Amino acid sequence: MISINTHISLRPFNTFGLDANAAHFCTIHTIQELSQLLRQAPPQPLRVLGGGSNILFVQDVDGTLLKNEIKGKEILHTWANKVHVRLGSGENWHETVRWAVEQGLGGIENLSLIPGTVGAAPVQNIGAYGVELKDVFVRLHAVDLLTGQSKTFWKKDCLFGYRDSIFKSVHKGRYFITDLVLSLTRQHHSIHVQYGDISKTLEAMQVTGKPTIHQISKAVIAIRSSKLPDPKVIGNCGSFFKNPEITTALFENIRQNHPTAPGYPLPNGQVKIPAGWLIEQCGWKGKRVGNTGSYEKQALVLFNHGGATGTEVAQLAKEIIQSVKTRFGVPLEAEVNIW
Ligand code: EPU
């Protein structure tokens, strides 16, 4: 029998540091434990929790919460310049990046210091500084929580988009991802330093010529640490909103009043505009509302300064969405999952 605990505080299990309780809570270390648990017919619904770094709890969680602790990192195959690595979904993402960089394996160094687990990475196709998980993704294995069947999802099956995948849409909440296979490089790494801050930081680090993956990882860690609050100090979930994609016409309209408004043209003809800029323009940056607020160095990050409730954070998010909509006509969408 797999033991199921009742009435567990989730405060240690979410980086916002919010108070909520799980009616039933069970830690899963292996696929066998997961199969055993499913045979025990635990209280429904079942929900999977990784590092709790992209979740806003606005109420207690009913059913059974499955805390993913499936570990493991191994090299599956090696070719001349390539390796396939298999990663347990309960591994910490940043520890995994460090492991890869230490082994000289390239491809995920730009994704250094992203909080959360390996299993959460494909769900929202994590991305930073010009790289997304989909760029190195090969396949994942998952267990269907309805039927207990295992299934392989190849890259094309995952329908990856900007902070999006099939696990956020059609299959939302249906699968427990157990492991991922990524394709990394052994030498001749493709280096991504085009994202402004990276080349500037490498220059400040006095790196000349082609940077190593160690140096890129170090630069990314420096940039993230300087802009984003450490969840161990201030509760937060990184970017709270997605960067919206708007029409060229709307972007031109915004540019008329704000000639320096940042925007990045997309292949689909739309323009991606930084939500942080829109929120800052509406006067929210660095503003504290009770124990919550928008972070002073990156307006896109909402925080819990201690003692805030999930409802207060959600209320602030609602007000921000409303003011951006009124001022710019742009609908903001939350990136974090609201439970
Ligand atoms: N900006 C402002 N004010 C702000 C913040 C940003 O004006 O308070 C403007 C500036 O023009 C800045 C631009 O927005 O140049 C872009 O800012 P930044 O480089 O910080 O990136 P972002 O678009 O705000 C995205 C990701 C981050 C990721 C960075 C770097 C989303 C929702 N967020 O932020 O991801 O680290 O790019 O690649 O796409 C996360 O998902 O939790 C996360 C932190």
Side-chain angles (χ1 to χ4, degrees):
M1 285 286 276
I2 302 295
S3 78
I4 301 178
N5 296 302
T6 53
H7 205 66
I8 294 295
S9 164
L10 296 176
R11 191 197 280 258
F13 299 108
N14 74 100
T15 60
F16 250 124
L18 296 166
D19 247 341
N21 289 310
H24 301 89
F25 184 96
C26 176
T27 306
I28 300 293
H29 302 91
T30 61
I31 298 179
Q32 292 71 26
E33 278 186 6
L34 178 58
S35 306
Q36 169 69 46
L37 177 83
L38 295 179
R39 284 197 295 271
Q40 281 171 224
Q44 298 283 328
L46 307 181
R47 294 185 177 92
V48 186
L49 182 66
S53 58
N54 210 34
I55 288 185
L56 178 73
F57 291 120
V58 290
Q59 58 192 348
D60 288 341
V61 179
D62 59 353
T64 308
L65 199 54
L66 312 181
K67 173 77 178 82
N68 182 1
E69 290 287 346
I70 298 181
K71 298 287 160 96
K73 299 186 199 84
E74 61 170 324
I75 292 180
L76 285 183
H77 304 290
T78 303
W79 295 268
N81 188 37
K82 227 201 241 171
V83 292
H84 277 184
V85 295
R86 177 161 49 205
L87 308 168
S89 56
E91 289 284 352
N92 174 276
W93 175 260
H94 178 61
E95 289 306 317
T96 303
V97 173
R98 271 196 9 200
W99 169 81
V101 170
E102 271 159 24
Q103 312 244 344
L105 302 178
I108 50 177
E109 57 282 355
N110 291 50
L111 306 179
S112 295
L113 214 62
I114 294 185
T117 53
V118 162
V123 176
Q124 59 153 357
N125 182 26
I126 57 170
Y129 308 105
V131 173
E132 288 183 329
L133 182 82
K134 74 169 171 50
D135 303 336
V136 292
F137 182 89
V138 178
R139 63 178 184 271
L140 64 77
H141 300 107
V143 172
D144 185 337
L145 292 170
L146 287 179
T147 63
Q149 300 285 310
S150 296
K151 186 168 167 170
T152 301
F153 288 83
W154 295 88
K155 187 168 173 168
K156 65 171 174 25
D157 304 323
C158 295
L159 306 183
F160 287 126
Y162 164 61
R163 293 295 193 277
D164 200 22
S165 75
I166 197 164
F167 305 104
K168 278 186 94 172
S169 53
V170 184
H171 290 331
K172 188 170 178 156
R174 173 142 180 200
Y175 286 92
F176 187 121
I177 294 168
T178 54
D179 67 81
L180 317 189
V181 175
L182 305 184
S183 177
L184 304 178
T185 45
R186 300 176 65 212
Q187 316 134 40
H188 315 299
H189 307 298
S190 42
I191 294 296
H192 299 271
V193 291
Q194 67 280 32
Y195 205 95
D197 285 354
I198 296 207
S199 32
K200 258 190 272 160
T201 309
L202 287 168
E203 259 172 53
M205 285 162 56
Q206 292 177 344
V207 173
T208 49
K210 186 179 174 182
T212 64
I213 55 174
H214 280 92
Q215 289 166 333
I216 293 183
S217 175
K218 221 172 138 185
V220 169
I221 290 173
I223 300 166
R224 288 188 75 98
S225 314
S226 73
K227 276 197 186 175
L228 302 170
D230 179 351
K232 290 194 195 91
V233 183
I234 304 174
N236 76 90
C237 270
S239 305
F240 193 93
F241 302 99
K242 289 192 206 181
N243 285 335
E245 293 179 10
I246 60 175
T247 60
T248 320
L250 180 54
F251 184 65
E252 288 311 324
N253 200 299
I254 292 173
R255 273 259 168 110
Q256 279 185 357
N257 294 325
H258 305 274
T260 57
Y264 314 102
L266 298 170
N268 64 6
Q270 304 263 95
V271 178
K272 189 182 274 188
I273 183 162
W277 183 86
L278 295 165
I279 298 168
E280 180 173 351
Q281 294 301 311
C282 291
W284 291 102
K285 188 173 184 172
K287 193 162 168 180
R288 195 163 159 168
V289 183
N291 289 320
T292 181
S294 154
Y295 191 57
E296 61 195 1
K297 295 181 194 156
Q298 166 54 288
L300 190 50
V301 176
L302 304 190
F303 60 76
N304 167 18
H305 234 292
T309 63
T311 317
E312 280 176 87
V313 180
Q315 178 58 31
L316 172 67
K318 219 168 132 186
E319 286 172 31
I320 291 176
I321 291 172
Q322 188 57 54
S323 67
V324 168
K325 180 86 180 119
T326 308
R327 169 107 183 254
F328 293 104
V330 177
L332 284 186
E333 206 186 302
E335 197 223 285
V336 303
N337 298 298
I338 301 177
W339 280 15

